[in-house]
Amino acid sequence: MLETVIKRDRDYGTPARVSETQVSLTIDGQEIRVPAGTSVMRAAAEAGINIPKLCATDSLEAFGSCRLCLVEIDGRRGYPASCTTPVEEGMVVRTETPKLHDLRRGVMELYISDHPLDCLTCPANGDCELQDMAGVVGLRNVRYGYQGANHLKDATDNSNPYFAYDPSKCIVCNRCVRACEETQGTFALTISGKGFDSRVSAGQDQPFLESECVSCGACVQACPTATLQEKTVIMMGQAEHSVVTTCAYCGVGCGFKAEMKGQEVVRMVPWKDGQANRGHSCVKGRFAWGYTTHQERVTKPMIRKHITDPWREVSWDEAISYAASEFKRLQGQYGRDSIGGITSSRCTNEETWLVQKLVRAGFGTNNVDTCARVCHSPTGYGLKQTLGESAGTQTFDSVMFSDVVVVMGANPSAAHPVFASRLKRRLREGARLIVIDPRRIELVSSPHVKADYHLQVRPGTNVALLSSLAHVIATEGLINEAFVAERCETRPFQQWREFVSRPENSPEAMEAITGVPAAAVRGAARLYATGGNAAIYYGLGVTEHSQGSTTVMGIANLAMSTGNIGREGVGVNPLRGQNNVQGSCDMGSFPHELPGYRHISDDVVRGEFERDWGVTLQPEPGLRIPNMFEAALGGTFKGLYCQGEDIVQSDPNTQHVAAALAAMECVVVQDLFLNETAKYAHVFLPGSSFLEKDGTFTNAERRISRVRKVMEPRNGKSDWEVTVALSNAMGYPMNYRHPSEIMEEIARLTPTFAGVTYEKLDRLGSVQWPCNDEAPEGTPIMHIDEFVRGKGKFIITQYVPSEERSTRKYPLLLTTGRILSQYNVGAQTRRTPNVQWHGEDVLEIHPQDAEDRGISEGDWVGVQSRAGETVLRAVLTDRVQPGVVYTTFHFPESGANVVTTDNSDWATNCPEYKVTAVQVMRVSQPSEWQRQWSRFSDIQHKLLAERETAPAGK
């Protein structure tokens, strides 16, 4: 287990260099060989010689301002800074001489002369580089008093809810500014003033909260003093041990060190060796973990007969027994297939595995599905058909080798910010960018990143746009003929080429459909096909359409036709939304597939599971989530085990989902809070947070990382233990003692996980599947020599207009997305100070559309579709094009999914969240749905509060 006493990660002072040329030099009499371009400071550190430093850190390029790292070099005048001096062949360096001692002490004395001498009461005491370096250089006296000008009375900025900025302790080392620029890429910090007046400034000398700072924490992490300090550290003091775990927010899967005092988290620090995040973080993972101990968490099991009854707190045994007896009763009364389960994309692989196993083996049905149904199920289908594997092709690091990047239907800055920082770094280095999105996202134009092309496609016309891009590639001789001939099936390719070459697929012909100028399409296609290594990153703006699967296949067609598959810097890369949505799919959560994406009807595969699990499995696929709802309303689906998903808020057509749950006789919800789905539950099984469990998550790059328990579950059980107990009560025995045993079973039955063990994950940090005998340490890049399916298969992608289109009654198209500070349904982030940045969902509307409707900034507006109506506050912006409106879905009272319809992808039933025809008008009061929601929610919270009156033990 990666648990340690608190100590600072080894810092080599400057970044590592990669070079085939090795340079030999001597430092303090020791001969050293390092790659050309390495700094003297890093060469010394790699030899175990630590040169004092303050402005240098190995996550940032050398700056050379602190003058503490001076060295002597034979044949060179003066005392050069070791951080900015590259090694040379035969160089002789001395790091410790009497003169260097005097110089360093003098420099440190100047720093301390304008620094508070409050070390014993300073929150950074024991974790302060300035304090450490004062000791290293042997500073014992400060000759300069405080009589002259100083900064000791500078006021602290406490505006940010998570960290404080105390300028009196700033040594102007510039590390925070450089971290904001190099690591995060926001450029929110600067050094204002000159000379003695120099100080770190957020924005235009603004408070941090009002500036462009995105609170990623890079500046706090970089600060060598207590100038920038987490408020939790100020309140609680320094931690005493740490545990390495994995973030439970988005699909980047950042590694963190949970720094602890006993059972309390002091802070979450991005793990320097985290292979997904490389020591970086975002505001959610770094700071928004307080929900895990929020007072609204439900930590005791509860049951009730009807949703109009007060909850009754019961023991775990009674809750499990009641749920099992109800499920058995329903199956006895209505048949085997009258119940089912939904797995969670926020739970671990091991927990998800057990839920689908419980449904198949314990319930005896294949009625199991997952939230990937409503987000990335088209990714699984589309990539499986074309490339042969239902996952992305690359590592996140791969983007640093890209020359052209296409971002389609995704907003990485908001939804995958740590990856976005890496992408922006590559763009600043010269990579070219194509953005395909109905909305002008941050990547399109910002002070330091600008897209070469923004193809502002009309919602619902992605397939038409991809066909027009392919038309240019096919008709202008831009196809990589050699790659296609060697790697792809010939006849499907020829059919595809003939199809996309037709005049009706030209950019000129498609312009009327997509709204994108033909010249821009032609320019973007030429850039993608000829600009070097070209990578495509896409998100829910691709998949959540009636032609989501078709669009994914169209993306794969583009990559294959140009040879942009199978090496660094290229590929087809879905940006998965939730922390374990990839893993939930891998674990067999779809009703038609066993783990590893193998069809339930395959007798050989099914036989392997039957022998291992000791049961006979049903060979026919079960119900998808939308089918469960329809069957519930039809009276044949009566019971649901829902682990860690809030389907009422997250699924489309909210009123339809709520009606389906209300029609069921036993809804069992396992979660942290009384969320929107739990308000319709009959059994509430309290869940455990990611800080309270062991297991693994699989991120968007197929990276399997360890989740480690840092505190005991507040509810008394980890989620996997709850599922085991329910399975045993149902009569199907499960006898695991630790999640590592579940992973052993996963590896035994899933070829792509065959080589995965906890020991290997602890040793390597993480692995990317496939991990098996052929790839014992994982597979960073897929499809290198051949596709998983053998030959790549081109598939014709005929554009079929969505049934959901603008009309006279509903003339605008609503599309949805996410915002940086909030996450998914907001159950976690709404219970943190993140609400200070985003406290409500709003409707973005173009000023032209607003003027036509008499709408002003901040007005309440009704948003009406054929499915329902809600009311949101209007924000006027040209980020959306005329005819398009946009909102987020983080707050249940906003009812964003009240208006989204039940249209869905033709292949996977993934809902068409991104295209809803609506009308928008000024209103003065909430919608009828919002009034009903408010009444129902008040009643449910009252019934929850009344649970405290239940007699003990009942």
Side-chain angles (χ1 to χ4, degrees):
M1 181 175 181
L2 292 186
E3 182 170 349
T4 63
V5 295
I6 293 294
K7 59 181 180 180
R8 202 173 291 131
D9 288 329
R10 180 74 188 276
D11 191 330
Y12 293 86
T14 62
R17 301 301 183 206
V18 178
S19 175
E20 295 181 0
T21 304
Q22 295 288 305
V23 174
S24 295
L25 71 159
T26 300
I27 302 180
D28 292 346
Q30 183 175 342
E31 187 169 331
I32 300 166
R33 284 180 62 82
V34 293
T38 301
S39 71
V40 169
M41 175 180 283
R42 186 173 184 104
E46 291 183 358
I49 301 168
N50 294 317
I51 300 173
K53 64 186 186 301
L54 278 174
C55 72
T57 182
D58 57 14
S59 63
L60 304 171
E61 292 299 327
F63 192 60
S65 70
C66 76
R67 316 312 295 168
L68 205 62
C69 71
L70 306 180
V71 294
E72 294 180 358
I73 300 176
D74 283 3
R76 190 169 296 192
R77 296 177 59 187
Y79 303 92
S82 60
C83 64
T84 56
T85 303
V87 298
E88 294 178 4
E89 185 66 35
M91 179 182 277
V92 177
V93 180
R94 283 178 294 280
T95 71
E96 295 290 341
T97 68
K99 182 60 177 176
L100 290 174
H101 292 167
D102 288 343
L103 288 170
R104 290 171 182 160
R105 274 195 297 268
V107 169
M108 181 57 70
E109 190 176 6
L110 291 172
Y111 280 122
I112 298 302
S113 71
D114 190 18
H115 195 84
L117 297 180
D118 60 352
C119 289
L120 291 180
T121 57
C122 177
N125 185 23
D127 186 32
C128 174
E129 293 178 53
L130 184 69
Q131 185 183 57
D132 293 345
M133 288 303 106
V136 166
V137 303
L139 182 65
R140 296 294 176 263
N141 298 295
V142 178
R143 291 168 289 172
Y144 316 111
Y146 290 149
Q147 290 76 23
N150 58 57
H151 299 89
L152 301 182
K153 294 184 179 180
D154 287 3
T156 299
D157 175 7
N158 280 304
S159 63
N160 189 286
Y162 293 120
F163 60 83
Y165 167 55
D166 182 354
S168 72
K169 296 180 177 178
C170 180
I171 61 172
V172 201
C173 65
N174 222 275
R175 272 166 55 165
C176 60
V177 177
R178 290 181 287 140
C180 190
E181 295 174 359
E182 297 177 28
T183 305
Q184 169 58 27
T186 297
F187 294 80
L189 304 183
T190 188
I191 301 294
S192 62
K194 295 181 179 180
F196 175 80
D197 294 326
S198 298
R199 271 298 175 267
V200 171
S201 169
Q204 302 294 316
D205 284 319
Q206 298 166 288
F208 267 81
L209 191 63
E210 297 175 15
S211 73
E212 294 180 346
C213 169
V214 295
S215 298
C216 67
C219 60
V220 181
Q221 184 74 0
C223 181
T225 69
T227 304
L228 290 159
Q229 184 72 72
E230 298 95 334
K231 291 183 177 179
T232 51
V233 174
I234 295 172
M235 290 186 297
M236 300 173 65
Q238 294 294 325
E240 43 85 12
H241 74 279
S242 67
V243 180
V244 173
T245 190
T246 303
C247 181
Y249 276 116
C250 78
V252 173
C254 296
F256 276 90
K257 287 199 305 181
E259 296 195 350
M260 309 289 298
K261 267 191 169 182
Q263 291 281 303
E264 291 189 84
V265 178
V266 175
R267 64 178 175 180
M268 298 290 286
V269 178
W271 187 31
K272 189 174 181 178
D273 294 330
Q275 293 160 321
N277 58 317
R278 304 294 180 191
H280 191 33
S281 59
C282 80
V283 62
K284 294 189 287 288
R286 181 71 158 87
F287 297 116
W289 40 266
Y291 70 90
T292 60
T293 54
H294 195 275
Q295 61 184 8
E296 291 181 3
R297 266 193 71 177
V298 181
T299 58
K300 293 184 179 179
M302 305 184 299
I303 63 175
R304 60 182 176 180
K305 184 64 177 176
H306 306 101
I307 67 170
T308 54
D309 297 336
W311 286 103
R312 183 164 62 91
E313 287 184 357
V314 296
S315 67
W316 273 108
D317 287 345
E318 184 175 350
I320 294 293
S321 176
Y322 180 79
S325 65
E326 282 293 282
F327 284 151
K328 291 177 183 177
R329 176 184 68 80
L330 293 174
Q331 286 188 307
Q333 185 174 349
Y334 300 103
R336 182 192 63 214
D337 293 324
S338 62
I339 64 172
I342 296 177
T343 72
S344 175
S345 292
R346 288 191 287 276
C347 288
T348 64
N349 286 317
E350 293 78 3
E351 290 159 351
T352 304
W353 174 276
L354 291 190
V355 173
Q356 63 85 29
K357 180 179 180 180
L358 165 64
V359 174
R360 298 187 199 280
F363 292 0
T365 176
N366 289 316
N367 292 340
V368 63
D369 211 345
T370 187
C371 87
R373 171 70 54 212
V374 301
C375 61
H376 269 285
S377 52
T379 285
Y381 182 86
L383 295 185
K384 186 81 169 179
Q385 298 300 309
T386 51
L387 309 182
E389 193 57 90
S390 301
T393 62
Q394 313 291 123
T395 64
F396 288 137
D397 286 340
S398 175
V399 76
M400 298 307 294
F401 299 89
S402 298
D403 302 303
V404 178
V405 177
V406 178
V407 176
M408 183 173 185
N411 187 359
S413 303
H416 302 85
V418 171
F419 168 72
S421 295
R422 200 169 311 171
L423 167 60
K424 287 189 280 190
R425 173 181 284 195
R426 180 59 188 147
L427 295 174
R428 294 196 301 274
E429 292 174 352
R432 311 283 293 278
L433 175 64
I434 300 166
V435 172
I436 303 174
D437 202 289
R439 184 168 170 263
R440 192 181 72 245
I441 62 173
E442 185 252 1
L443 287 174
V444 171
S445 181
S446 60
H448 301 277
V449 170
K450 292 190 186 301
D452 293 82
Y453 295 95
H454 177 202
L455 308 184
Q456 200 165 14
V457 62
R458 185 172 293 126
T461 63
N462 284 338
V463 172
L465 180 64
L466 289 174
S467 293
S468 63
L469 290 166
H471 176 92
V472 177
I473 291 169
T475 59
E476 294 189 5
L478 305 180
I479 290 174
N480 188 328
E481 302 284 358
F483 180 91
V484 172
E486 177 186 356
R487 299 284 304 274
C488 302
E489 293 184 15
T490 301
R491 183 169 175 78
F493 166 69
Q494 292 172 342
Q495 293 170 336
W496 172 84
R497 176 184 233 164
E498 186 279 326
F499 167 74
V500 298
S501 298
R502 295 173 187 171
E504 59 264 31
N505 286 320
S506 70
E508 290 73 17
M510 287 294 190
E511 183 173 333
I513 295 172
T514 65
V516 182
V521 175
R522 288 191 176 275
R526 292 164 185 154
L527 176 59
Y528 175 75
T530 65
N533 287 339
I536 300 175
Y537 293 86
Y538 70 88
L540 303 183
V542 161
T543 56
E544 290 179 344
H545 288 268
S546 61
Q547 282 198 287
S549 293
T550 310
T551 308
V552 172
M553 291 187 287
I555 288 171
N557 290 341
L558 280 187
M560 289 188 293
S561 69
T562 54
N564 281 305
I565 289 281
R567 62 183 186 277
E568 290 271 33
V570 299
V572 176
N573 306 284
L575 293 172
R576 302 278 188 163
Q578 297 187 62
N579 55 299
N580 201 39
V581 70
Q582 179 70 59
S584 69
C585 300
D586 300 339
M587 295 298 101
S589 294
F590 289 130
H592 67 292
E593 286 178 334
L594 288 162
Y597 305 98
R598 293 165 295 168
H599 204 279
I600 190 71
S601 64
D602 187 317
D603 293 342
V604 174
V605 173
R606 197 174 65 257
E608 293 177 8
F609 282 85
E610 289 177 336
R611 286 188 293 274
D612 197 276
W613 292 354
V615 294
T616 299
L617 301 179
Q618 300 301 314
E620 297 297 326
L623 298 176
R624 296 173 174 178
I625 290 174
N627 306 134
M628 294 180 191
F629 298 155
E630 293 299 330
L633 291 170
T636 59
F637 189 82
K638 292 293 186 176
L640 179 67
Y641 174 35
C642 184
Q643 183 194 63
E645 291 296 338
D646 191 356
I647 54 177
V648 172
Q649 188 179 340
S650 64
D651 283 34
N653 199 344
T654 299
Q655 295 174 94
H656 179 76
V657 177
L661 287 175
M664 297 182 197
E665 295 183 19
C666 183
V667 175
V668 178
V669 168
Q670 185 173 339
D671 220 307
L672 302 178
F673 305 100
L674 190 79
N675 58 25
E676 300 306 296
T677 303
K679 293 172 184 176
Y680 292 88
H682 307 90
V683 180
F684 188 93
L685 304 176
S688 53
S689 73
F690 79 109
L691 295 174
E692 300 164 327
K693 61 178 66 174
D694 285 298
T696 57
F697 292 152
T698 306
N699 75 349
E701 50 174 0
R702 296 171 285 105
R703 185 179 302 282
I704 307 162
S705 301
R706 283 280 280 115
V707 180
R708 296 180 177 87
K709 182 190 294 185
V710 307
M711 61 175 70
E712 290 303 314
R714 289 165 62 85
N715 63 352
K717 289 182 181 290
S718 293
D719 286 331
W720 69 271
E721 294 176 299
V722 177
T723 305
V724 164
L726 181 57
S727 183
N728 289 333
M730 288 292 296
Y732 180 74
M734 290 186 184
N735 300 295
Y736 306 98
R737 293 165 297 179
H738 189 269
S740 60
E741 297 178 349
I742 307 171
M743 179 53 74
E744 290 171 5
E745 183 177 306
I746 294 170
R748 186 168 67 244
L749 291 171
T750 312
T752 49
F753 278 67
V756 179
T757 64
Y758 279 23
E759 181 278 327
K760 182 177 291 185
L761 295 175
D762 289 343
R763 175 165 46 87
L764 299 178
S766 65
V767 297
Q768 290 171 268
W769 67 259
C771 177
N772 45 33
D773 289 342
E774 291 73 35
E777 295 193 352
T779 309
I781 298 175
M782 297 190 74
H783 316 296
I784 292 178
D785 297 315
E786 65 174 2
F787 291 102
V788 171
R789 69 183 308 277
K791 295 280 190 179
K793 184 177 182 179
F794 284 81
I795 296 177
I796 290 175
T797 53
Q798 178 71 52
Y799 168 63
V800 178
S802 169
E803 294 179 9
E804 192 70 14
R805 62 191 77 179
S806 56
T807 63
R808 289 181 64 186
K809 185 175 181 180
Y810 303 116
L812 303 176
L813 293 178
L814 170 70
T815 190
T816 63
R818 291 175 174 166
I819 200 163
L820 172 63
S821 60
Q822 294 294 331
Y823 172 71
N824 209 46
V825 298
Q828 295 143 282
T829 44
R830 281 187 282 109
R831 291 175 171 90
T832 72
N834 278 30
V835 293
Q836 293 190 33
W837 286 282
H838 187 75
E840 63 177 345
D841 294 317
V842 298
L843 185 79
E844 293 186 5
I845 184 169
H846 192 275
Q848 177 181 313
D849 291 324
E851 183 179 359
D852 291 344
R853 291 161 174 78
I855 295 170
S856 301
E857 179 79 13
D859 282 351
W860 290 107
V861 294
V863 185
Q864 185 179 57
S865 74
R866 62 181 174 85
E869 181 180 6
T870 192
V871 171
L872 300 167
R873 197 184 303 276
V875 171
L876 277 56
T877 176
D878 62 0
R879 288 169 66 96
V880 292
Q881 56 189 302
V884 175
V885 292
Y886 170 89
T887 190
T888 52
F889 53 93
H890 304 303
F891 291 79
E893 63 269 24
S894 71
N897 282 320
V898 171
V899 295
T900 53
T901 69
D902 49 11
N903 274 7
S904 64
D905 174 51
W906 63 271
T908 66
N909 278 136
C910 182
E912 192 170 34
Y913 292 105
K914 304 306 182 190
V915 188
T916 304
V918 299
Q919 178 59 286
V920 175
M921 65 206 81
R922 282 186 64 189
V923 297
S924 58
Q925 58 186 359
S927 70
E928 177 58 29
W929 175 85
Q930 285 169 315
R931 288 193 290 269
Q932 291 177 1
W933 174 86
S934 182
R935 288 192 295 268
F936 179 70
S937 188
D938 287 346
I939 291 170
Q940 290 302 315
H941 283 294
K942 181 174 180 290
L943 295 174
L944 177 65
E946 289 178 355
R947 81 194 188 279
E948 297 175 354
T949 65
K954 293 267 183 117

